[in-house]
């Protein structure tokens, strides 16, 4: 029997029960949360484009010009001029031959992995890849092999044992819950040796890393050497939707076989126009990503000065590993009582035993806001008896895509 209230009770007992919180107003560095002003330290609106006046205006104009909905799938009657323009600009920005939009980053990963991961092939997937990649692996006809997090030797062994020409290696570039960066050069090299294709998810890298915010692939000097770049319009680009940059042949295959694209309505025109305006701002203001990096470095040094251990790293995602799910929630609540909103992240988003507060900074956070946040986090940790000073070793990677 499938008893729903028992399922909910089990989640509560395990400290894994979730609820949403109500934010009023836009996703700025400070928001009203459930009616109370707080510092927002868990939004992916890294560059402030979600509420930028030019982005808002572009979305509003598009709504007046083209309406709100796209009306149908891209393949039926849903391809509009704004979609084509955004795809052209994204391909030019990423330096690829072609680009195709998806309804979200989640759908883009599912679509790509199902289209490339055909029966008889294997998808090699990092143990800490995003849930949308895990779900793409589950839906694809290919087998999945989960290699240890960022472990090139394990990946190489797996390719030698199980690899075939045309297999797929897929990785986040910046890992969404840990903020570390995949060893992209090594992955590309292994793929070349074994005839595999490389899919890199730049969701948290676009606008944050690399020259002009072009991501981790560009930063590693690997332009043109990754088969498929998956991106989202919903983080640094402040809007909503996913995209895939690749060769024309691959985007043609996606248009013809990615069910997540074929059977889902095209992006709403205001959403596409907002993303396009944000992309233009990013291109015009290539120093915004550097400001984000500087802000992240500031938070990391404030944490270190307060004796709070964060894993060494340099991105805008800073996890404070607590361990126990319940303790992470209590810490989050105690921080909130001090005006700092940092979300507790628990299984299955992260492996059991590695629950955490995942802090994300925005380019617009000020030094005094961050200093105040670190004081609040220290006090909160003391109040709930959570230790944030220990070695924050990442938990044993588990085979989440199994
Ligand atoms: C957020 C995220 C996605 C999903 O993107 P959406 O556009 O929000 O659906 C995919 N991959 C990674 C690594 C992400 O962090």
């Amino acid at each position: 029997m499938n008893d729903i209230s028992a399922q909910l009770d089990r989640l509560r007992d395990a400290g894994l029960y979730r609820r949403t919180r109500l934010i009023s107003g836009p996703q700025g560095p400070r928001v009203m949360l459930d009616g109370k002003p707080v510092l927002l330290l868990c939004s992916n609106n890294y560059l402030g484009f979600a509420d930028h006046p030019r982005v808002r205006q572009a979305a509003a104009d598009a709504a007046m010009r083209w309406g709100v909905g796209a009306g149908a799938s891209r393949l039926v009657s849903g391809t509009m001029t704004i979609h084509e323009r955004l795809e052209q600009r994204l391909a030019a920005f990423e330096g690829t031959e072609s680009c195709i939009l998806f309804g979200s980053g989640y759908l883009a990963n599912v679509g790509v992995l199902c289209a490339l991961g055909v029966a008889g092939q294997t998808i090699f997937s990092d143990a800490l890849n995003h849930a949308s990649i895990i779900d793409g692996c589950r839906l694809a006809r290919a087998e999945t092999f989960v290699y240890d997090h960022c472990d090139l030797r394990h990946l190489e062994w797996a390719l030698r044992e199980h690899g075939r020409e045309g297999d797929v290696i897929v990785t986040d570039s910046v890992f969404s819950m840990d903020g570390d960066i995949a060893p992209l050069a090594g992955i590309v090299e292994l793929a070349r040796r074994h005839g595999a294709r490389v899919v890199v998810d730049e969701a948290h890298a676009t606008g944050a890393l690399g020259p002009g915010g072009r991501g981790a692939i560009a930063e590693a000097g690997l332009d043109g050497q990754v088969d498929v770049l998956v991106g989202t319009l919903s983080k640094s680009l402040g809007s909503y939707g996913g995209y895939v940059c690749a060769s024309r042949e691959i985007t043609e295959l996606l248009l013809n076989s990615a069910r997540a694209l074929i059977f889902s309505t095209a992006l709403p025109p205001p959403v596409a126009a907002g993303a396009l305006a944000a992309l233009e701002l990013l291109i015009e203001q290539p120093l915004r990503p550097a400001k984000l990096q500087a802000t992240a470095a500031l938070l990391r040094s404030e944490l270190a000065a307060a004796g709070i251990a964060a894993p060494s790293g340099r991105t805008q995602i800073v996890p404070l590993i607590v361990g126990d799910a319940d303790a992470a929630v209590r810490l989050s609540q105690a921080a909130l009582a001090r005006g700092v909103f940092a979300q507790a992240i628990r299984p299955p988003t992260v492996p059991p035993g590695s629950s955490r507060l995942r802090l994300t900074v925005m380019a617009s956070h000020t030094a005094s806001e961050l200093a105040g946040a670190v004081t609040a986090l220290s006090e909160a940790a003391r109040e709930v008896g959570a230790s944030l000073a220990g070695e924050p070793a990442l938990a044993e990677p588990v085979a989440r895509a199994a």
Side-chain angles (χ1 to χ4, degrees):
M1 190 189 74
N2 182 8
D3 186 331
I4 291 172
S5 69
Q7 274 192 50
L8 287 169
D9 285 342
R10 268 200 302 280
L11 288 172
R12 276 191 202 93
D13 290 347
L16 297 178
Y17 183 76
R18 294 162 192 243
R19 70 181 187 94
T20 56
R21 291 183 178 279
L22 194 61
I23 302 257
S24 20
Q27 294 272 316
R30 292 179 168 280
V31 295
M32 295 292 283
L33 181 79
D34 294 329
K36 183 179 157 227
V38 294
L39 184 75
L40 183 60
L41 266 187
C42 49
S43 175
N44 302 321
N45 178 24
Y46 298 130
L47 301 180
F49 290 152
D51 55 335
H52 191 285
R54 250 174 69 184
V55 176
R56 294 179 189 213
Q57 190 63 52
D61 291 347
M64 296 316 288
R65 184 162 171 198
W66 290 294
V68 169
S73 158
R74 294 290 300 280
L75 285 126
V76 179
S77 67
T79 297
M80 302 170 79
T81 50
I82 185 69
H83 297 130
E84 198 180 65
R85 204 174 304 156
L86 178 55
E87 285 172 344
Q88 286 166 354
R89 292 290 275 174
L90 283 166
F93 177 70
E94 303 286 10
T96 57
E97 196 179 22
S98 183
C99 171
I100 190 155
L101 294 171
F102 278 73
S104 69
Y106 183 103
L107 289 171
N109 276 326
V110 168
V112 164
L113 293 170
C114 289
L116 296 183
V118 296
Q121 305 285 167
T122 302
I123 302 171
F124 297 87
S125 177
D126 187 287
L128 294 186
N129 275 340
H130 188 262
S132 55
I133 293 177
I134 296 173
D135 292 359
C137 291
R138 286 176 176 164
L139 269 176
R141 304 281 185 188
E143 300 287 323
T144 301
F145 183 96
V146 179
Y147 61 91
D148 292 346
H149 180 53
C150 289
D151 187 339
L152 288 173
R153 287 174 59 185
H154 193 208
L155 175 59
E156 181 172 24
W157 174 85
L159 285 164
R160 248 195 341 258
E161 291 290 309
H162 307 287
R164 269 155 297 188
E165 186 86 18
D167 282 344
V168 176
I169 304 171
V170 60
T171 186
D172 286 12
S173 59
V174 171
F175 287 87
S176 54
M177 297 300 137
D178 294 275
D180 55 340
I181 302 172
L184 294 178
I187 289 172
V188 164
E189 167 62 22
L190 284 177
R192 192 176 296 142
R193 283 220 302 273
H194 292 269
R197 295 196 175 89
V198 179
V199 176
V200 175
D201 180 344
E202 293 261 66
H204 290 283
T206 304
L209 293 182
R214 286 198 301 111
I217 295 171
E219 186 181 71
L222 295 170
D223 284 306
Q225 297 182 59
V226 165
D227 299 275
V228 177
L229 182 163
V230 176
T232 179
L233 305 172
S234 67
K235 287 165 184 156
S236 286
L237 293 174
S239 181
Y240 192 68
Y243 63 92
V244 174
C245 285
S247 66
R248 187 160 306 284
E249 199 175 50
I250 287 181
T251 59
E252 245 175 69
L253 176 73
L254 293 173
L255 191 64
N256 281 277
S257 71
R259 296 168 65 87
L261 171 75
I262 298 171
F263 297 105
S264 190
T265 300
L267 276 188
V271 161
L276 180 58
L279 180 61
E280 279 163 359
L281 278 166
L282 178 58
I283 293 166
E284 277 171 34
Q285 303 175 2
L287 294 182
R288 267 185 198 246
K291 175 73 170 42
L292 177 66
Q293 286 173 17
T295 311
L298 190 59
L299 175 63
R300 286 172 183 276
S301 69
E302 290 279 356
L303 287 167
I308 298 179
S312 61
R314 59 189 175 87
T315 67
Q316 73 283 6
I317 299 170
V318 184
L320 305 182
I321 312 287
V322 178
D324 178 59
D326 229 11
V329 172
R330 277 186 280 115
L331 179 59
S332 173
Q333 282 164 349
L336 194 54
R338 291 169 172 78
V340 173
F341 182 30
Q343 189 61 267
I345 307 286
R346 296 163 285 167
T349 313
V350 293
S354 73
S355 290
R356 65 197 65 188
L357 296 199
R358 170 184 178 269
L359 312 182
T360 55
V361 294
M362 299 185 215
S364 52
H365 280 131
T366 65
S368 69
E369 282 171 340
L370 296 179
V374 170
T375 305
L377 287 165
S378 301
E379 288 171 8
R382 217 169 302 130
E383 179 191 313
V384 304
S387 166
L388 294 176
E391 245 321 281
L394 291 177
E396 282 292 293
V398 293
R400 288 188 299 168

